[in-house]
Amino acid sequence: MTGLQPMIRLRPATPHDLSLILKWDEQPHVRDVSGDDEWNDWDWGNQLGRDVPWREFLIAEFDDRPIGFVQTIDCREEESHYWGTDCPEHSQAIDIWIGEADELGKGYGTQMMRLAFERCFANPLCQHILIDPMADNFSAHRFYESLGFELLGPRRFGPDNCLVYQLTRARWRSGAQNA
């Protein structure tokens, strides 16, 4: 080998991924960052086969091996209005997790997020990306800040206390996520 490292790639999640996603969804490190189970019921069995223009469900693969999950959504168009009804047009949000605990700390999350940024900002009308880690998830705060996200402030989503962060297109273009 010439020193090239296998890279992360994102592919659409399909109903064939259901058992894997359900397994990951039960992992303690995923449950710890997911918030209240009743509030955050993803309804995987019905949602995985549903193609809607405002969302992407993606499986992250490292060397052709599934290692994580990414969701991108249009905040304004998303049907539950999780982000509210006054979101700017074309704003995006990202959810991400690594499936197995032994895959944490290997840099996969950073690669997954950068690929998600490219997908979101591929729409020239998208001017910012939002994320909402739990307020007490300090490692997630550091991670997102290292990628260029700036804190907007606290927000309660259902029973969950979160912090909302934003990455603007201008900050992304400036290379802040490479700092």
Side-chain angles (χ1 to χ4, degrees):
M1 185 151 214
T2 63
L4 295 176
Q5 287 184 287
M7 297 298 292
I8 300 291
R9 76 177 187 104
L10 301 177
R11 64 160 174 84
T14 70
H16 297 292
D17 297 306
L18 179 60
S19 62
L20 178 64
I21 291 173
L22 289 173
K23 178 184 172 206
W24 287 347
D25 205 24
E26 292 299 317
Q27 299 301 308
H29 71 281
V30 173
R31 295 178 68 83
D32 286 347
V33 300
S34 297
D36 183 271
D37 288 338
E38 288 182 32
W39 172 254
N40 292 317
D41 180 12
W42 289 71
D43 189 21
W44 294 116
N46 290 317
Q47 293 300 318
L48 274 176
R50 191 168 165 245
D51 186 25
V52 292
W54 47 263
R55 175 189 68 206
E56 285 188 292
F57 282 159
L58 304 162
I59 297 293
E61 294 183 333
F62 176 76
D63 204 16
D64 296 322
R65 181 176 48 86
I67 56 140
F69 174 83
V70 175
Q71 173 187 231
T72 64
I73 64 165
D74 182 306
C75 299
R76 188 171 182 177
E77 299 300 319
E78 188 268 329
E79 65 194 9
S80 78
H81 301 294
Y82 175 85
W83 287 94
T85 56
D86 59 347
C87 289
E89 225 176 344
H90 308 292
S91 56
Q92 294 284 305
I94 297 173
D95 287 297
I96 177 177
W97 69 78
I98 304 294
E100 301 291 339
D102 63 353
E103 301 291 1
L104 295 168
K106 297 181 178 181
Y108 299 152
T110 299
Q111 289 183 54
M112 291 164 61
M113 286 298 288
R114 289 185 176 148
L115 290 170
F117 298 163
E118 290 172 14
R119 292 178 96 87
C120 292
F121 287 130
N123 176 350
L125 299 174
C126 177
Q127 294 302 307
H128 66 271
I129 298 170
L130 300 172
I131 54 167
D132 63 336
M134 302 296 288
D136 61 356
N137 188 346
F138 304 112
S139 63
H141 306 164
R142 285 188 301 275
F143 171 67
Y144 293 128
E145 289 165 6
S146 77
L147 292 171
F149 281 89
E150 297 176 293
L151 179 64
L152 295 180
R155 181 160 172 196
R156 192 165 179 88
F157 291 96
D160 297 328
N161 291 315
C162 298
L163 293 182
V164 174
Y165 283 83
Q166 173 180 264
L167 176 66
T168 64
R169 175 182 289 276
R171 189 160 169 84
W172 175 68
R173 276 190 180 154
S174 76
Q177 78 277 9
N178 295 320

